[in-house]
Amino acid sequence: MADSLELVIITGMSGAGKTVAVQSFEDLGYYCIDNMPPSLLPTFWQLMKETGKITKIALVIDLRTRDFFDELSNVISAMDNTQDITTRILFLEANDQSLVSRYKESRRTHPLAHGEEGPTLEAIQKERQLLLDLRTRAQMIVDTSNMQPKELRSMIIEHFACDDQTTFQVEVLSFGFKYGIPIDADIVMDVRFLPNPYYIEELKTKTGTDKAVYDYVMKQPETEIFYHKLIDLFDYCLPGYKREGKAKVTIAIGCTGGQHRSVAIAKRLGEHFIHQQYTVRVFHRDKEHNQTQVIEKDAGNDTCK
């Protein structure tokens, strides 16, 4: 059982940025649920305590759950009286003009603007009154009237991230063009112009993670020139991606089979990004393809070429 459980309730005006907020909490590692009825909170929380596997939870609760919304204050009060729960309310709001403009842009209908309950502006004003009590209980109130989504995201990360936590990740992926370009890559670099260790007999069945292949690729003059130009590019671009609020950048390095050159370059790039204090993950998608084929061929499988 966990010693302490953290619950953040994301609520506030419809159209004020709750979707951006919950996505930001997801990037921070919170277990997130959108539109949970308040009456289910105690049962859900008891389940979380018993499992002990999830310690940070963010819930979006707003007027979409209108039949249950009046219960929220009572539920929060009951949960605040326990010692094993830290409950914080993040209340998002915006002025009438901004909210009306956002509903016009999105072409969506306000939750209170159905039937005889009035047009958008009247619905917004009614919602503001309904949420008044909950607003007074919030530990953090954010006015998003003049905020861009990335600014709201940055504010949430600043207030809720752990001291040593970063949400920006760099993924470096090596691949072989013969097996297809990764569809999830943000940047694709082709290194097939570099000398190929595949044509050296003693290196053919090894990969770019083996020292002999890595050293062969890196000692080529073309590699050194290309690598430093590549580093200049990424050292310039990555801080910009981070400032824009991007959670992850995937850099794909490709050669013919994804076994030698791309693996070596990806390995060196990953080491550089770690040195630059980024959170880095390095994957070699196709590194084992050719090795598997050689094994099958040695076993007498004539279909492997």
Side-chain angles (χ1 to χ4, degrees), residues 10 17 20-22 24-25 28 90 92 140 142 151-161:
I10 306 167
V20 172
V22 73
S24 302
F25 278 101
L28 287 172
L90 170 61
L92 302 178
M140 184 176 181
V142 179
E151 295 173 317
L152 175 58
R153 172 182 166 81
S154 296
M155 178 177 292
I156 290 172
I157 291 172
E158 178 183 349
H159 282 83
F160 291 92

Side-chain angles (χ1 to χ4, degrees), residues 140-152:
M140 184 176 181
I141 301 173
V142 179
D143 187 335
T144 66
S145 300
N146 299 309
M147 273 189 177
Q148 296 294 323
K150 65 177 182 180
E151 295 173 317
L152 175 58

Side-chain angles (χ1 to χ4, degrees), residues 15 43 52 80 106 163 179 197 202 224 239 262:
T43 303
D80 281 343
S106 66
D163 292 339
Y179 305 112
E202 60 268 26
E224 197 65 16
S262 62

Side-chain angles (χ1 to χ4, degrees), residues 99-110 114 120:
L99 293 175
V100 170
S101 176
R102 290 171 189 176
Y103 272 103
K104 286 184 177 179
E105 290 175 2
S106 66
R107 298 183 180 181
R108 300 193 65 191
T109 303
H110 191 280
H114 296 283
T120 299

Side-chain angles (χ1 to χ4, degrees), residues 225-242:
I225 295 171
F226 169 74
Y227 176 77
H228 287 290
K229 289 182 180 295
L230 197 59
I231 286 300
D232 286 342
L233 172 66
F234 291 141
D235 285 350
Y236 177 79
C237 291
L238 292 184
Y241 284 123
K242 188 175 181 179

Side-chain angles (χ1 to χ4, degrees), residues 166-179:
T166 175
T167 62
F168 182 71
Q169 296 185 4
V170 179
E171 288 188 353
V172 184
L173 171 68
S174 70
F175 73 96
F177 278 95
K178 66 192 294 184
Y179 305 112

Side-chain angles (χ1 to χ4, degrees), residues 113-136:
H114 296 283
E116 299 178 356
E117 297 187 65
T120 299
L121 180 57
E122 292 181 16
I124 290 170
Q125 293 170 344
K126 180 177 180 180
E127 181 183 33
R128 205 179 295 279
Q129 290 299 314
L130 290 172
L131 295 177
L132 190 59
D133 177 65
L134 189 57
R135 184 183 187 277
T136 61

Side-chain angles (χ1 to χ4, degrees), residues 36-80:
M36 170 177 278
S39 59
L40 297 181
L41 265 176
T43 303
F44 170 77
W45 200 249
Q46 185 61 36
L47 178 62
M48 292 299 100
K49 288 193 296 181
E50 291 174 356
T51 61
K53 296 180 179 179
I54 299 174
T55 59
K56 299 193 301 181
I57 299 171
L59 305 179
V60 178
I61 300 178
D62 56 28
L63 283 180
R64 289 173 295 173
T65 55
R66 292 172 58 190
D67 294 339
F68 306 96
F69 199 76
D70 292 339
E71 303 174 26
L72 181 58
S73 293
N74 293 333
V75 171
I76 293 174
S77 297
M79 296 177 69
D80 281 343

